[in-house]
Amino acid sequence: MQFSLKHNIPESARGACQIITVTQARKLSSSGLRVDKASKGYLSSILKRGDMEGKAGQTLLLPSIPGLAVQRVLLVGCGKESEMNERVFARIIDSIATALANCGARDAEFYPADVSLKGRDLAWKIRQAALLLSNAEYRFEQLKSSKPSPRKGLRKLNINVANKDASRAKQAINEATAISAGMSLARDLGNLPANVCTPSYIAKQARLLAKGEKRLRVNVLDEADMKRLKMGSLLSVSAGSRQPAKLISLEYRGAAAKQQPVALVGKGVTFDTGGISLKPGAAMDEMKFDMCGAASVVGTIKAVSQMQLPINVVGIIPATENMPDGLATRPGDIVTSMSGQTIEILNTDAEGRLILCDALTYAAKFKPRCVIDIATLTGACIIALGKIPSAVLGNNRALINDLQKSGQQIDDKIWELPLWDEYQDQIKSNFADMANIGGRDAGTITAACFLSRFTGDYKWAHLDIAGTAWKSGEDKGATGRPVPLLTQYILNQVDK
Ligand code: BES
Ligand code: MN
Ligand code: ZN
């Protein structure tokens, strides 16, 4: 989808389509009123007839209106002004895409100032509309043998704003374009099956991203390197797989070398069978999405690098499969992590924390201003919060607050769970410093408790994206979350 900025007055539109909003009941927007006048009351006569009440998401396509140069007008209902919110806004944008999906119009004029949404400025509406439209356009078709037929529908949205708003609007479009490119990359990596998207494949994609980008540097450690670094915990997960593990770091340098980077650590389990603690068969295919944390890190770095933000960011990705081969780790095995702490592995299916703990220890070497890890870590997270927000836990109030604010800003929500000391007792072990599981109660929290023991003295937050990284059922596929949240957080950190 292409977005271009225009300053045209509505009655002189001459393209394929013009989007005019109507609120309930039957009230035309200010652009709508001008178009109505130019068409000698055509629009208001349609409204009077009752063909369009203005309910949120309702649409009516009107071709060849006498007196207008534009080929079509699409009337779009926005509902009652008092009931307008972010959800309704998303529904309106979605209904525009749907209404234009099967008509001949390739481009359309849009007037974002016509839609009023309490607490959101013009730039927000533009950015969100562009993000939603780009995201709706995403398809994953690279592994279908027949070339998909060229799609109909909207290709280009002309966003009309007053001259005084042009520079803010331009920035909103740029941000949306970069974030949706990042999301699209994250979704591709997530959707690729595990026989394609291996740890080596992720490393290759990281290198590809950095190619020709002076501000990006990639470093990939192999298993021998990890052994030298004494990453016994990470290696205990890859032991059962024939795919070699990789520890990928992707450094974006947009500011002075001395500026401390934001560190993003993403779980990259390219397939999670559970290992010797084998998972049941139902929906196991979805465990190809167990690297969506890693994908969100690559996607966010792409967005940040596309915007050329003046900030330093480092992405750290422990990538491995979790398989039950002959050398696989057994329940009861005790391993020594890079931090020196020993871990009794009571369940090999709690592997995410085993690779993240060594990556968190490793992260300290970048002297980060903060570390955010992102992981499809626990099924318990879906039980606790469902699939609406990601969970956030951490050791720093300001960092958690900043992340929550970022999530609200870009509508990629997170919700905090408590990381109280009392929960730490659940991961006691009779034989090692800790166990890798904490029983049925509060599974998301005890997983975070485990991670908290490896965060040294830096500010840290953990995002459990088990419920938000992908969708199941008919819409099965990666969502690209939380690329918007992470990118917004980094945008907010610029100049801080
Ligand atoms: N990748 C899974 C978590 C997961 C499961 C995410 C289903 C989304 C959907 C993780 O590695 C895992 O298996 N966690 C276990 C932990 C348990 C053994 C303590 C879980 O949640 O069951
Ligand atoms: Mn697992
Ligand atoms: Zn997993």
Side-chain angles (χ1 to χ4, degrees):
M1 185 86 60
Q2 227 191 308
F3 302 98
S4 91
L5 209 54
K6 294 278 155 67
H7 322 282
N8 298 330
I9 51 169
E11 56 271 38
S12 69
R14 42 182 54 262
C17 185
Q18 181 172 36
I19 298 163
I20 296 294
T21 53
V22 182
T23 50
Q24 214 169 328
R26 305 178 191 173
K27 211 175 120 210
L28 283 166
S29 65
S30 63
S31 310
L33 289 169
R34 294 172 68 154
V35 174
D36 188 45
K37 205 168 158 203
S39 65
K40 303 210 166 53
Y42 190 94
L43 297 183
S44 42
S45 73
I46 295 276
L47 295 179
K48 252 183 229 127
R49 265 183 247 159
D51 292 349
M52 160 57 89
E53 293 165 77
K55 282 192 181 140
Q58 193 188 1
T59 56
L60 183 64
L61 192 63
L62 305 167
S64 316
I65 296 180
L68 300 183
V70 74
Q71 289 168 9
R72 311 164 182 76
V73 166
L74 176 68
L75 292 180
V76 182
C78 293
K80 296 202 178 96
E81 268 164 282
S82 60
E83 288 169 11
M84 183 67 176
N85 61 27
E86 287 79 1
R87 298 267 74 64
V88 177
F89 184 80
R91 181 135 44 94
I92 292 166
I93 300 299
D94 191 53
S95 67
I96 292 172
T98 307
L100 296 181
N102 291 310
C103 92
R106 284 283 195 264
D107 53 275
E109 305 295 320
F110 180 54
Y111 308 91
D114 282 353
V115 185
S116 55
L117 177 47
K118 223 172 108 197
R120 302 298 192 182
D121 62 8
L122 184 73
W124 187 92
K125 286 181 276 183
I126 294 172
R127 191 176 73 165
Q128 211 62 15
L131 265 176
L132 289 163
L133 287 171
S134 306
N135 225 3
E137 190 188 40
Y138 173 87
R139 295 286 180 283
F140 183 77
E141 284 165 339
Q142 48 180 295
L143 297 177
K144 304 250 189 199
S145 62
S146 57
K147 281 272 158 289
S149 50
R151 263 179 316 117
K152 298 186 82 175
L154 195 61
R155 284 283 180 69
K156 185 173 170 215
L157 191 70
N158 295 317
I159 298 174
N160 289 276
V161 299
N163 274 314
K164 66 170 174 50
D165 296 322
S167 78
R168 286 188 301 146
K170 182 95 209 98
Q171 196 190 339
I173 293 173
N174 285 345
E175 288 177 8
T177 308
I179 294 166
S180 78
M183 289 176 82
S184 172
L185 175 58
R187 294 176 78 178
D188 279 350
L189 288 170
N191 287 333
L192 280 169
N195 62 327
V196 176
C197 186
T198 59
S200 312
Y201 181 89
I202 299 178
K204 199 170 112 198
Q205 294 309 304
R207 286 204 177 96
L208 221 59
L209 183 61
K211 215 171 154 193
E213 265 299 334
K214 276 201 223 73
R215 295 172 171 216
L216 277 174
R217 210 174 69 206
V218 181
N219 182 36
V220 179
L221 301 186
D222 61 20
E223 291 187 354
D225 299 321
M226 292 184 243
K227 206 164 173 183
R228 272 193 292 279
L229 288 167
K230 300 194 158 56
M231 296 184 166
S233 185
L234 200 170
L235 290 168
S236 77
V237 177
S238 62
S241 164
R242 304 204 177 178
Q243 287 291 339
K246 304 284 171 189
L247 181 63
I248 306 155
S249 50
L250 189 49
E251 284 176 83
Y252 171 78
R253 163 91 62 85
K258 64 172 198 303
Q259 192 201 71
Q260 292 181 279
V262 171
L264 305 175
V265 178
K267 172 179 174 183
V269 173
T270 58
F271 197 83
D272 182 10
T273 65
I276 297 300
S277 314
L278 195 64
K279 284 185 181 294
M284 208 211 269
D285 66 292
E286 296 189 9
M287 283 299 114
K288 73 172 182 176
F289 296 117
D290 211 17
M291 35 56 69
C292 282
S296 76
V297 171
V298 180
T300 301
I301 301 257
K302 182 181 174 99
V304 168
S305 124
Q306 189 163 319
M307 289 185 281
Q308 298 275 290
L309 295 183
I311 189 169
N312 294 337
V313 182
V314 56
I316 300 163
I317 296 168
T320 178
E321 275 186 335
N322 186 21
M323 297 283 278
D325 202 357
L327 292 172
T329 298
R330 297 150 288 254
D333 284 2
I334 294 176
V335 298
T336 304
S337 65
M338 184 183 181
S339 72
Q341 299 176 92
T342 59
I343 303 161
E344 184 184 16
I345 299 176
L346 289 173
N347 190 321
T348 63
D349 197 12
E351 85 297 340
R353 61 199 79 181
L354 294 174
I355 67 170
L356 288 169
C357 70
D358 281 342
L360 287 170
T361 303
Y362 182 72
K365 101 178 177 92
F366 295 94
K367 306 212 171 357
R369 64 166 95 176
C370 66
V371 178
I372 302 163
D373 80 72
I374 308 101
T376 48
L377 204 62
T378 61
C381 186
I382 311 175
I383 307 300
L385 296 175
K387 301 187 172 189
I388 313 297
S390 308
V392 62
L393 305 96
N395 64 13
N396 185 273
R397 176 71 7 229
L399 175 58
I400 292 172
N401 289 351
D402 285 347
L403 284 167
Q404 278 175 324
K405 187 178 142 226
S406 307
Q408 282 161 9
Q409 274 175 284
I410 203 156
D411 206 17
D412 184 1
K413 293 196 240 322
I414 60 178
W415 193 259
E416 188 180 3
L417 295 176
L419 189 59
W420 294 320
D421 264 350
E422 289 90 322
Y423 291 104
Q424 294 281 354
D425 290 343
Q426 285 178 238
I427 55 172
K428 274 186 182 156
S429 160
N430 285 356
F431 306 106
D433 295 343
M434 69 195 88
N436 79 325
I437 53 170
R440 270 173 52 84
D441 294 0
T444 304
I445 298 174
T446 52
C449 283
F450 180 95
L451 296 178
S452 75
R453 298 182 180 207
F454 299 86
T455 54
D457 51 7
Y458 51 68
K459 298 173 189 165
W460 160 74
H462 159 63
L463 298 174
D464 195 328
I465 58 167
T468 55
W470 76 90
K471 291 181 180 168
S472 307
E474 211 185 329
D475 294 335
K476 194 192 285 182
T479 60
R481 287 177 70 183
V483 170
L485 163 73
L486 295 170
T487 312
Q488 180 68 60
Y489 172 77
I490 291 168
L491 276 166
N492 294 348
Q493 291 308 301
V494 170
D495 299 330
K496 257 203 189 166

